[in-house]
């Protein structure tokens, strides 16, 4: 329901989960791993299935938009990313991955598990 979506999207525990998920994803990332490979790993971790090519394309576009947004708004990036991450990942990059993880955790497919 719309009320459920708003409650989940604005819940502090959901924010903490997305930060932890992004942190783990970036901590495990190999230097040679592509964005598509990383997105596929994130998708599989959240939804326990491989993403379609269209889903990877949409997530890649969203991630790029988030990178641009947070690069232009460093204070917002620090607020979203909050914690330091391994490998000296910049706040804008961390925040973009947090935002992307949040998209996946707010999907009906993640929340309802039918």
């Amino acid at each position: 329901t719309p009320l459920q979506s708003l409650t989940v999207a604005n819940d502090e525990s959901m924010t903490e989960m997305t930060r932890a998920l992004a942190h783990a994803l970036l901590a495990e990332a190999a230097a040679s791993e592509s964005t598509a490979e990383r997105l596929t790993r994130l998708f599989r971790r959240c939804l326990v299935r491989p993403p379609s090519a269209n889903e990877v394309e949409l997530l890649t576009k969203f991630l790029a938009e988030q990178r641009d947004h947070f690069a232009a708004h460093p204070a917002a990036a620090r607020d979203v990313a909050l914690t330091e991450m391994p490998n000296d990942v910049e706040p804008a990059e961390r925040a973009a991955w947090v935002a992307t993880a949040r998209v996946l955790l707010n999907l009906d497919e993640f929340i309802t598990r039918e």
Side-chain angles (χ1 to χ4, degrees):
T1 67
L3 184 56
Q4 177 188 15
S5 297
L6 286 173
T7 300
V8 171
N10 293 315
D11 186 69
E12 183 60 31
S13 63
M14 186 63 83
T15 301
E16 291 172 10
M17 284 187 278
T18 57
R19 285 182 183 133
L21 182 58
H23 183 282
L25 182 78
L26 293 171
E28 298 166 359
S32 62
E33 187 176 46
S34 71
T35 297
E37 290 169 329
R38 196 172 294 172
L39 284 168
T40 298
R41 200 161 42 86
L42 175 64
F43 195 96
R44 289 185 72 106
R45 183 173 283 176
C46 293
L47 301 176
V48 195
R49 69 172 178 83
S52 69
N54 186 51
E55 289 167 330
V56 171
E57 181 181 331
L58 290 171
L59 286 171
T60 300
K61 182 179 177 185
F62 179 80
L63 179 64
E65 290 169 356
Q66 295 306 301
R67 283 174 171 152
D68 292 344
H69 171 77
F70 287 118
H73 300 90
R78 286 189 299 277
D79 289 344
V80 170
L82 199 59
T83 57
E84 291 298 317
M85 291 195 182
N87 306 327
D88 299 321
V89 178
E90 294 296 320
E93 182 72 5
R94 294 192 316 257
W97 282 101
V98 170
T100 304
R102 187 175 181 146
V103 165
L104 292 173
L105 293 187
N106 278 293
L107 290 174
D108 181 61
E109 185 176 351
F110 178 84
I111 295 168
T112 59
R113 302 284 179 166
E114 294 177 14

